[in-house]
Amino acid sequence: MKLREHREIILYVFFGGLTTLVSILTQYSADYLGAGTALATSISWLCAVTFAFFVNKIYVFRNKSAKMSGWLRQAAGFYGARLATYFLELGFMLLTVEVFLLNMHVMKVIAQVFVLTGNYLLSKFFVFRKK
């Protein structure tokens, strides 16, 4: 396996891991401070998506748009695409934690597997696609 051929996926997984860490730590922190499942998940999502936008744009997909309009268009697309996985995660968290009373910490980690995969596909094929 040539590392150069798989650079994008390797970097995405690496930064996806860091994004997952941001998501989990902010979820746990918000929960510790008394936020409910929905609010903690929302705060977690906002922090993780903001972190992910910058690392994906700069390091993973090496997108070089210099104009502010390019950044804003991509940020809007990135956050818009991530809304799909946000609702997937929020629904999963509410169902498993609030309805089935499963452990929030375990469910958050499981949710991140689905979120990471969905976000990669949305970023690669819609947000930072090559022209």
Side-chain angles (χ1 to χ4, degrees):
M1 172 174 92
K2 294 181 182 176
L3 238 42
R4 190 175 298 261
E5 291 176 9
H6 302 287
R7 180 202 68 80
E8 186 177 279
I9 291 175
I10 292 167
L11 286 175
Y12 187 82
V13 169
F14 173 75
F15 285 113
L18 291 180
T19 300
T20 299
L21 187 61
V22 168
S23 180
I24 289 170
L25 290 176
T26 54
Q27 176 98 25
Y28 293 179
S29 298
D31 180 61
Y32 178 78
L33 294 173
T37 302
L39 180 57
T41 301
S42 299
I43 291 167
S44 166
W45 178 84
L46 184 60
C47 293
V49 171
T50 301
F51 174 79
F53 173 73
F54 288 103
V55 297
N56 279 296
K57 178 172 180 49
I58 296 166
Y59 300 110
V60 177
F61 298 107
R62 294 184 179 174
N63 190 276
K64 305 270 192 241
S65 62
K67 294 182 181 180
M68 181 59 82
S69 62
W71 276 79
L72 293 175
R73 179 184 52 75
Q74 287 178 333
F78 191 82
Y79 280 86
R82 298 290 170 112
L83 276 174
T85 56
Y86 163 72
F87 286 115
L88 173 74
E89 179 181 2
L90 181 61
F92 178 82
M93 292 299 292
L94 288 173
L95 181 66
T96 59
V97 175
E98 300 293 324
V99 176
F100 295 126
L101 304 176
L102 299 174
N103 183 283
M104 186 267 301
H105 302 296
V106 174
M107 294 302 102
K108 181 67 176 182
V109 172
I110 292 170
Q112 292 309 295
V113 173
F114 299 109
V115 169
L116 183 71
T117 304
N119 286 339
Y120 174 76
L121 296 172
L122 291 169
S123 292
K124 179 160 181 70
F125 295 112
F126 296 107
V127 180
F128 298 116
R129 70 183 178 271
K130 306 273 193 261
K131 296 189 184 211

